[in-house]
Amino acid sequence: MTFPTAETVAYLPLRYVLTDSVAVRTSYDPLRVDSEGVVSGRAQRGMLAAALSRAGRERELTEWVARGDRVRFAPAHPRIEGGGGAVVALPAPAHLYVPGKDGDTLVDAFAGGTDAPGVPYRALREPVTVDRSRRASVDTTAERYLGRSSSGERGRGMPFFTTSLDPGQVFEARWQLRGPDPDFVRGLAERILDVLAEARGSLTLGAAGTRAHGGVEVGPVDPDRPLSPDRVDRPETPSWKGGEVDLLLISPALTVGEQGQYRPHALVPAVRELWKRRAPEADPPEVVAAHVEPVLVGAYHRAYRGPMAQRWAAAPGSVVRLRAGRAPTPELVRELESHTLGERAVDGYGQFVLLPTPPPGAAPLPEASAPRPERRAGTVTLTDGRVLPAPDPRDHDRWPDDLYDTLLWNAAVGPVRDHARASARALSVSAHGTLRRLREVISDPRRSPDETLTALRATLDTSLGPAETLHRRLAGLSGGEAALRWWTSSRPEDAHGSAYARGIAAVDLALTDGLPPAERPSGLSERAERWERRDVARLCLLWVASWLAEAVRAPREGTRRGEGGPR
């Protein structure tokens, strides 16, 4: 059965990546802003209006935003990427409960799943996907500022609280586009995407834009196919068991009761009326059960700088279970979902989806996932959600490695010097002339560390007689591979070595705990060992310089103490 419509309806899926924290007012309180886990359609309407005003597009501002007959905005829900595909998490159905304080299953209250005596039940509040396989964990942050006094008295301030959505999270909204024919709708979608692309970098969502809130990157979910015929993507064709279907509100519904007042529980009559109006040839459905929760809906009008009237509405997640004579066809589902329940449809209120009822019995509690951008090969995702190309290894920048080498060197200087001085104090060296010549050799700034060690070896080889102790202690030390062999056998060990290894491990970025790895004989990580091999000539030269300085100083102090020399 096909239900003709007077106009063409399609949806423009948009992907939002929050580059700053986003604060969206849900009620007017001069000293508090509490943001929900979704971005309201009204906030997106204001975002588009600001972009059109800055661009001087008055005609589009009137046609798309003010009139509301071509574009209807929609709330942006958390988008879970990765794990085999991207899915959108909708408000949790109000009939789903978790048994027990730390339960790991879901039960259907409409099917009698909450009738067990003595078992506490808690409602599922986190957004869940259509197939109830995953749920979203949206991150928020509470901040405090100093705001103006509510009395307007000058010179006095009041604490101002803001609960905002954290940056780096991903949301998806589906704006509804209407037109006389498909070509018009496709052209409208292209024009909207062009406006959003031109305003890239200046788009803001929500309130408190002057406090660095609201930065967002907006783009189509699928640039190759910008339009979708469905309000929500379903993983597979729904199976309507016994003709039963759950009508799930995904945005507040401002329904009006018989007395002309806003009443949340007027949702059920509004559902019956919509079904009768849009599907007159189908049998009227029977309402099996309903769970409708009220919520106070308000907003802050940024243009008028004042609050909007607050109304009672049916909360997102409210469910009406229906039983139709026949299972609804895909055409009927699309036709019904293209309409809204209640008032203020242009702001995204009253939107719903039709879902199959959950299977009987307890189902596993969906795993929680953060709505973060998917990591793609060849890219790097920053903390604010921006995706940048990964650096080419051939264009490797040396400054991080230089910084790493500097950290390890500064940590090794102290232990190496202490070890060399302790070694010099343990030996008695009387060849003061040779010591002075060696110190002159190592202090020549024109030589590299390898060249200095080679010159040191040549000076030792020409020294005879009293330089026997020096020959024995510095045996085999020279530039090149000889320096590595000497350092391997003479590096700080035991008590001094533990200080050396601990000092390097404390600043080694390759170690998570800052402690020397027990499984490596050297006490150094693999990366630190590579640095040690590269800088072995510098380490040897540092050790020799400290050893020679202490060997010259120790006899002098002994002479002053034993022979009464000048103090």
Side-chain angles (χ1 to χ4, degrees), residues 23 50 150 254 263 276 349 363 367 410 475 478 495 533:
S150 57
L254 289 165
R263 291 198 54 183
K276 180 179 179 181
Y349 289 102
E367 61 174 345
N410 292 338
S478 183
R533 287 192 292 270

Side-chain angles (χ1 to χ4, degrees), residues 491 500-501 504-505 508 516-517 520 522-526 528-529 531-532:
R491 64 194 298 275
Y500 173 76
I504 292 179
D508 191 351
R520 303 188 68 85
S522 64
L524 305 179
S525 67
E526 182 178 356
E529 285 185 353
W531 161 81
E532 191 181 46

Side-chain angles (χ1 to χ4, degrees), residues 44-66 71 73 175 191-196 198-199 202-203:
Q44 300 169 63
R45 188 183 184 188
M47 176 195 71
L48 182 61
L52 294 172
S53 298
R54 285 192 297 266
R57 298 174 178 258
E58 298 298 331
R59 178 170 169 269
E60 288 82 357
L61 181 63
T62 302
E63 178 184 353
W64 299 350
V65 179
V71 181
F73 300 87
W175 295 358
R191 293 166 60 194
I192 293 177
L193 292 177
D194 290 342
V195 170
L196 296 176
E198 293 174 1
S202 62
L203 296 174

